Amino acid sequence: MTAESTGPDESTRPDESAGTAASTGPDAPQGPAGATGSDREPTQEQSTTTRSWLRDHSELGVCVLLLAIGTLVLADALTMSVDIAQRGPIGPRTVPFVVGSALLLVAVLLAVDVLRGGRGEAEGGEDVDLDEPADWRTVLLLSGVFLATAVLIGPLGFPIAGALLFWGSAYALGSRHYDRDPLIAAVLSLATYFLFDNLLGVPLPGGPLMGVI
């Protein structure tokens, strides 16, 4: 009785072991990509290494941006149509050429420094309290000064509108030297006017002072 009861159980054991062997054999499926865990580990490590390298050299994004802006400025300077008479060796294309070339030079030097291991200082070193709210009064004052300059530059001309721009900006930023700021603003405005109108050949509106200056 005992031999007969244990016989069928023992006959099924080879089939179970065979099924287990078949499921773990060399032809068994090993995941959706057919790769083992040891094959996937190098790929994950390479991805992590790439992300870490890009994070450590994130300043290269600034280099790309400067390079793009410099190229755009130079391209715009080359295609600029100069319809006004150029006075001397300095013309309307001079400043765009200088600015565009400087941007390209800075982009290259910054990229070399970053690739050599240079790192920018952390923002924590700046004397800025991030918990303080924004100074909306200063922002609104500056916005009003810029809008007033855009409106007044036509009828009043650049010398007067520029002086108001410089004086208003100084006042918005906290300067209260009423005896000195208007004089400095007038000098800066006239110097800017002569620089663009006489040296660079870029005409600016003179307004009522056109016949005087």
Side-chain angles (χ1 to χ4, degrees):
M1 294 295 291
T2 305
E4 291 179 358
S5 60
T6 57
D9 295 335
E10 293 177 355
S11 63
T12 58
R13 289 177 182 175
D15 295 338
E16 294 176 356
S17 60
T20 305
S23 62
T24 59
D27 297 334
Q30 300 175 356
T36 61
S38 59
D39 295 333
R40 289 192 298 268
E41 288 178 359
T43 304
Q44 294 177 355
E45 292 178 357
Q46 293 174 359
S47 177
T48 304
T49 303
T50 302
R51 288 196 299 268
S52 177
W53 189 91
L54 292 176
R55 184 170 56 254
D56 293 338
H57 298 81
S58 58
E59 292 89 348
L60 291 177
V62 179
C63 301
V64 175
L65 179 61
L66 293 176
L67 185 65
I69 296 176
T71 303
L72 181 62
V73 171
L74 289 178
D76 186 65
L78 291 174
T79 57
M80 181 186 299
S81 59
V82 183
D83 297 332
I84 58 178
Q86 181 172 333
R87 304 173 186 178
I90 301 177
R93 294 180 176 177
T94 304
V95 173
F97 269 120
V98 173
V99 173
S101 302
L103 288 173
L104 294 181
L105 179 61
V106 170
V108 173
L109 293 178
L110 180 59
V112 172
D113 180 68
V114 171
L115 293 177
R116 287 182 176 180
R119 299 292 299 274
E121 296 182 0
E123 294 183 0
E126 300 180 1
D127 188 14
V128 177
D129 189 359
L130 300 179
D131 297 329
E132 288 292 329
D135 189 0
W136 290 108
R137 179 179 178 274
T138 302
V139 174
L140 293 176
L141 284 175
L142 287 174
S143 301
V145 169
F146 292 147
L147 290 176
T149 303
V151 172
L152 298 175
I153 194 172
L156 298 182
F158 184 84
I160 299 178
L164 294 176
L165 170 65
F166 294 129
W167 187 15
S169 300
Y171 180 86
L173 294 175
S175 179
R176 297 296 184 268
H177 298 283
Y178 300 107
D179 56 341
R180 183 181 64 187
D181 292 344
L183 181 60
I184 296 176
V187 172
L188 289 176
S189 179
L190 290 175
T192 305
Y193 178 80
F194 280 113
L195 175 64
F196 281 89
D197 191 74
N198 294 337
L199 296 180
L200 299 179
V202 179
L204 294 175
L209 299 179
M210 178 67 73
V212 179
I213 58 177

